[in-house]
């Protein structure tokens, strides 16, 4: 289950921020980061608002004074928040609002595991469709644009309205 988190995370951040300086590689890394909790089967820190907030604080304080690096790394917590949205993590109140509602971990199943194979296949197909749309919209069939996107994580300024 990767395409469902990769493509819509790029599209949502692109649609909301419309920033030609955004580094979508970090957004994708952040959107995939909560998948490290899969072996646990239950939501933990990266499926909570507190986890995304702590990651945001870590980025802001950890690279204070290095504005360009800070701007790039902000994609990580933004990607984690987008993952939570796409995964439906907000539907598990105990997990999403941990530790505000108590320090015990949620006993709910991760949304990815609880949806079932058929729904996950449909979501992956939607992610593949979104990738195709981005390929066309961001004109990634052009070698220079594709190289810039892969090496710098950016789309061309002329693509951003």
């Amino acid at each position: 289950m990767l395409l469902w988190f990769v493509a819509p995370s790029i599209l949502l951040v692109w649609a909301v921020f419309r920033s030609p300086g955004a580094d979508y590689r970090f957004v994708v890394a952040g959107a995939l980061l909560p998948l490290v909790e899969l072996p646990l089967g239950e939501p933990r820190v990266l499926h909570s608002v507190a986890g995304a907030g702590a990651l945001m604080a870590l980025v802001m304080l950890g690279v204070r004074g290095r504005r360009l690096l800070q701007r790039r790394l902000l994609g990580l917590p933004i990607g984690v928040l987008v993952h939570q949205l796409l995964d439906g993590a907000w539907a598990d109140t105990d997990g999403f609002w941990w530790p505000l509602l108590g320090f015990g971990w949620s006993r709910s199943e991760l949304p990815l595991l609880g949806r079932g194979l058929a729904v996950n296949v449909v979501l992956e197909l939607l992610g593949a469709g979104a990738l195709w749309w981005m390929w066309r919209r961001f004109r990634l069939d052009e070698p220079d644009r594709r190289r810039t996107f892969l090496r710098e994580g950016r789309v061309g300024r002329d693509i951003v309205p």
Side-chain angles (χ1 to χ4, degrees):
M1 186 78 175
L2 296 174
L3 301 180
W4 173 244
F5 294 117
V6 170
S9 66
I10 294 170
L11 284 177
L12 285 170
V13 171
W14 175 78
V16 170
F17 294 105
R18 304 286 181 154
S19 171
D23 191 334
Y24 294 101
R25 297 171 302 173
F26 287 98
V27 173
V28 167
L32 296 177
L33 188 58
L35 294 177
V36 301
E37 296 178 348
L38 269 176
L40 303 171
E42 300 169 342
R44 293 293 193 264
V45 175
L46 293 173
H47 281 81
S48 72
V49 173
L55 186 56
M56 176 79 76
L58 185 67
V59 166
M60 296 305 290
L61 297 173
V63 291
R64 187 180 38 223
R66 298 181 65 192
R67 190 167 170 250
L68 182 58
L69 181 58
Q70 202 174 47
R71 183 172 34 158
R72 283 190 175 139
L73 290 176
L74 276 176
L76 288 172
I78 290 170
V80 169
L81 287 167
V82 173
H83 174 100
Q84 292 171 358
L85 173 71
L86 294 171
D87 204 21
W90 41 268
D92 174 18
T93 307
D94 292 333
F96 190 66
W97 291 109
W98 176 90
L100 299 175
L101 300 179
F103 285 97
W105 297 115
S106 171
R107 293 291 171 215
S108 298
E109 195 171 32
L110 281 171
L112 173 65
L113 299 174
R115 280 194 289 264
L117 181 62
V119 173
N120 283 331
V121 167
V122 169
L123 292 177
E124 281 296 281
L125 290 173
L126 289 171
L131 281 175
W132 176 82
W133 184 87
M134 284 188 308
W135 182 268
R136 306 275 307 197
R137 177 64 175 95
F138 297 162
R139 296 174 27 205
L140 295 175
D141 56 326
E142 299 172 19
D144 289 339
R145 289 181 185 275
R146 187 172 52 250
R147 193 175 309 110
T148 299
F149 187 76
L150 293 173
R151 287 186 182 164
E152 302 172 24
R154 293 184 295 111
V155 297
R157 289 192 178 279
D158 60 324
I159 301 296
V160 180

